[in-house]
Amino acid sequence: MEKVYIFDTTLRDGEQAPGFSMTTEEKLQMALQLAKLGVDVIEAGFAAASKGDFEAVNLIAREVKGPVICSLARALNKDIELAGEALRPAERKRVHTFIATSEIHMKYKLRMSPEEVLQRAQKAVQYARSFTDDVEFSCEDATRSQRDFLYKVIEIAIKAGATVINIPDTVGYTVPEEFGDLIEGIRNNVPNIDKAIISVHCHDDLGMAVANSLMAVKHGARQVECTINGIGERAGNASLEEIVMALKVRRDFFGGIYTNVNTRELYKTSRLLCRITGSFVQPNKAIVGDNAFAHESGIHQHGVLTHPLTYEIMSPEDVGFPSTRIVLGKHSGRHALKSKLTQMGYQFSELDIDRIFERFKALADKKKEVYEEDLEAIIYEEFLKAEEEEPVKVLHYQVQTGDKLLPTATVVLSYRGEERTASATGNGPVDAVIRAIQKALGIQPELLDFSIKALTPNTDAQAEARLVIELEGVRASGRGVDVDIIKASVSGFVDALNRAILRRSYILSKESIRQEGTV
Ligand code: KIV
Ligand code: ZN
């Protein structure tokens, strides 16, 4: 039985994708859950990318025990130094350095000759080894690289001290048979390959990231880089939950290969990421989608009730899919709340539990039952919303509506500390209040998506509003929860606005890095 190492890059490649940026506190919550999930390596960020990335890698290195903590670094001394510095407090650390090896990247992006790339790779690995014995080297755009050159770079990187060699399909271009053949080629043509673990990192542009990664495992790769819910650049990365469950369910096919992942934590981890990013997976998403274990047709229902294996190749419990809903109410105490939070995968200090308890009690007074979704909403509001000062804050609003009234709203808000007021009419109360906010700010973002749903099945349910907007080319999603649907919509809209505004500054701060040509 051989192990495949699971390298999670949700906090680096995943976070890099538009609409998925996370605050430092959010990254820490995710990293703690990833450790509980049992991943072997957490790529906590790209320390040189920004001050925020450095701080997140550093905090995770300090707080998260168990997995190896890793930072990405270009093949540049200053990047490697920052990665080494951010990782200093980690119990186990890895520097992951990379350079592109395809002709198109070397010629147009790096403007370097193949010989220069070889030297840069060698020096970067050697330098990274001065910070840790665990060094990963990636040949960016490996699947479009010339094979003999790729073999040469890998050989040199291993000689220089790389312990893991990563083969990324950076642009999601390869297909399973071709990728399997590439891994086989590396194993047969790189003389010192037995001194390193072969890793793969596949993007999903053609929808084959998981299939390509699994084919690579079949051909000898022993580390897979992947992300929760498959988030990542463009179409995303290989989905961690799909890789892990495919290896588990089809262990017969993969020759007994196993991973360290506690699959019962998969659903919880996926949901935590959804809550944090405000971006939910589609209902039919494999393993963690709402419908992944739902049976609608009579024939299927009958089959499953008679024997689950008729239509289920794995059980919902295997992935931690909730089968029972435990309900808390106004008579529940702090103890019950705490054990519920632990069961949901959160790890809070006693002081933080006090904060949640206070909000929980206030909510339980307003509605009969408080569900997991309600608690998640409280946690999101209390801890996971952007830590940075929010540019837009709604101070007060008032809406007049009725069956014979034109809905009219007045809003008082502050924009970066400056108070503004505006009124507007709309096609409904929500439309009116959103128009008033836009008027007060003098902006008109495009509303790409808007949905509102009850979190629980009662008339006193909390409503969850989810919106996607585009503001000056920046797309952002927002989420608001309240027992009042207008209030939920207002906070969701303002949440999306704030994310879009903050994301613009984030993009600008990263722009200088991109100009030098990299991820
Ligand atoms: O897709 C890619 O090539 C990467 C590397 C930096 C590993 O993310
Ligand atoms: Zn990538």
Side-chain angles (χ1 to χ4, degrees):
M1 294 251 285
E2 266 192 84
K3 172 170 167 171
V4 165
Y5 290 88
I6 297 295
F7 176 114
D8 179 275
T9 184
T10 307
L11 300 175
R12 199 278 298 168
D13 214 324
E15 203 251 354
Q16 224 165 277
F20 289 99
S21 51
M22 296 173 225
T23 65
T24 305
E25 172 58 29
E26 288 169 343
K27 285 186 186 172
L28 178 62
Q29 280 291 332
M30 264 318 287
L32 287 166
Q33 178 56 30
L34 288 169
K36 235 172 131 195
L37 179 66
V39 304
D40 298 287
V41 186
I42 295 175
E43 189 162 51
F46 178 9
S50 68
K51 198 165 155 274
D53 270 39
F54 181 93
E55 278 163 10
V57 174
N58 191 242
L59 180 68
I60 291 168
R62 241 182 297 133
E63 301 289 328
V64 181
K65 310 289 173 224
V68 172
I69 309 299
C70 170
S71 171
L72 186 68
R74 288 168 298 178
L76 294 171
N77 284 0
K78 67 170 187 197
D79 274 31
I80 294 168
E81 275 155 26
L82 284 166
E85 179 57 30
L87 291 168
R88 196 197 296 271
E91 264 177 0
R92 301 162 69 208
K93 49 176 151 295
R94 173 180 299 179
V95 172
H96 174 193
T97 186
F98 73 99
I99 193 160
T101 51
S102 65
E103 269 173 45
I104 188 160
H105 276 233
M106 290 190 288
K107 187 167 170 195
Y108 295 105
K109 187 185 81 170
L110 297 174
R111 294 179 204 281
M112 286 167 75
S113 69
E115 196 47 47
E116 283 170 315
V117 167
L118 273 176
Q119 280 180 15
R120 184 75 86 74
Q122 183 188 28
K123 289 208 175 105
V125 173
Q126 277 168 349
Y127 192 48
R129 279 295 299 246
S130 68
F131 294 91
T132 169
D133 288 344
D134 188 347
V135 173
E136 173 167 333
F137 174 75
S138 283
C139 318
E140 193 189 10
D141 205 17
T143 51
R144 292 191 301 167
S145 301
Q146 215 245 325
R147 286 256 186 134
D148 287 339
F149 180 63
L150 189 66
Y151 299 153
K152 214 189 285 172
V153 183
I154 295 172
E155 186 183 347
I156 280 178
I158 296 175
K159 254 194 211 139
T163 45
V164 179
I165 293 293
N166 186 36
I167 310 300
D169 182 24
T170 304
V171 289
Y173 177 72
T174 198
V175 294
E177 202 174 328
E178 181 186 69
F179 199 47
D181 185 62
L182 174 61
I183 302 302
E184 197 77 40
I186 291 169
R187 290 180 67 204
N188 293 331
N189 292 285
V190 177
N192 52 2
I193 195 66
D194 57 315
K195 298 198 170 55
I197 292 173
I198 301 178
S199 167
V200 289
H201 173 115
C202 296
H203 280 270
D204 209 29
D205 299 67
L206 293 173
M208 286 185 278
V210 169
N212 288 334
S213 308
L214 291 171
M215 190 60 131
V217 169
K218 193 79 183 153
H219 285 267
R222 287 297 173 263
Q223 176 178 282
V224 176
E225 303 198 358
C226 40
T227 59
I228 300 296
N229 299 341
I231 69 169
E233 278 282 2
R234 305 180 309 279
N237 288 63
S239 137
L240 182 148
E241 57 278 7
E242 292 173 27
I243 298 279
V244 166
M245 288 314 289
L247 290 173
K248 184 171 178 178
V249 172
R250 296 307 311 273
R251 191 168 286 172
D252 59 328
F253 180 77
F254 288 102
I257 274 169
Y258 70 96
T259 73
N260 212 28
V261 168
N262 175 4
T263 60
R264 287 171 181 262
E265 294 289 326
L266 284 172
Y267 179 78
K268 205 185 286 174
T269 316
S270 160
R271 292 284 296 191
L272 182 62
L273 181 66
C274 294
R275 292 282 169 211
I276 286 175
T277 58
S279 194
F280 281 67
V281 296
Q282 78 271 22
N284 61 323
K285 164 83 176 66
I287 318 294
V288 290
D290 279 351
N291 293 352
F293 296 94
H295 301 280
E296 176 67 31
S297 92
I299 296 173
H300 286 214
Q301 284 175 348
H302 173 71
V304 167
L305 289 172
T306 317
H307 197 305
L309 282 182
T310 51
Y311 286 102
E312 275 179 356
I313 56 165
M314 58 199 145
S315 74
E317 295 81 45
D318 276 349
V319 303
F321 217 88
S323 40
T324 52
R325 296 169 65 91
I326 297 166
V327 177
L328 295 169
K330 65 177 173 186
H331 301 298
S332 311
R334 194 178 177 288
H335 189 177
L337 174 72
K338 187 176 168 184
S339 75
K340 183 74 178 176
L341 291 171
T342 312
Q343 194 191 326
M344 285 166 69
Y346 289 106
Q347 295 161 59
F348 287 112
S349 70
E350 294 299 318
L351 273 178
D352 287 344
I353 290 172
D354 287 342
R355 260 167 82 181
I356 300 170
F357 188 59
E358 212 174 292
R359 293 272 311 255
F360 157 71
K361 277 293 191 191
L363 183 65
D365 267 343
K366 281 196 227 161
K367 66 198 294 283
K368 259 198 291 206
E369 293 170 346
V370 177
Y371 295 85
E372 273 188 17
E373 290 86 343
D374 295 321
L375 290 179
E376 277 176 345
I378 292 176
I379 292 162
Y380 176 79
E381 296 285 334
E382 279 290 314
F383 303 100
L384 303 181
K385 261 181 134 173
E387 291 154 4
E388 275 179 78
E389 183 66 15
E390 290 165 347
V392 183
K393 286 192 188 115
V394 173
L395 306 174
H396 172 68
Y397 71 85
Q398 189 176 316
V399 188
Q400 282 172 299
T401 190
D403 60 348
K404 299 227 162 56
L405 268 181
L406 180 64
T408 309
T410 303
V411 173
V412 183
L413 54 77
S414 79
Y415 177 66
R416 300 201 190 276
E418 178 199 318
E419 201 166 304
R420 299 180 183 191
T421 305
S423 300
T425 55
N427 289 325
V430 172
D431 188 41
V433 78
I434 284 181
R435 279 171 194 260
I437 294 172
Q438 293 180 169
K439 205 164 153 192
L441 293 170
I443 53 170
Q444 211 148 16
E446 196 181 342
L447 190 58
L448 302 176
D449 197 13
F450 176 48
S451 69
I452 190 141
K453 71 168 189 191
L455 283 177
T456 51
N458 322 68
T459 50
D460 66 350
Q462 296 216 85
E464 178 191 56
R466 288 211 263 123
L467 302 95
V468 183
I469 62 162
E470 193 166 312
L471 178 68
E472 290 166 20
V474 177
R475 200 172 273 216
S477 54
R479 177 174 179 272
V481 177
D482 201 273
V483 280
D484 176 335
I485 58 167
I486 300 177
K487 201 161 171 199
S489 309
V490 168
S491 23
F493 182 61
V494 170
D495 184 29
L497 272 181
N498 282 329
R499 283 176 196 253
I501 294 166
L502 292 172
R503 183 152 178 80
R504 250 192 88 68
S505 13
Y506 180 73
I507 290 170
L508 290 176
S509 76
K510 284 203 167 178
E511 214 136 75
S512 57
I513 299 253
R514 283 178 201 268
Q515 270 161 12
E516 286 173 53
T518 156
V519 281

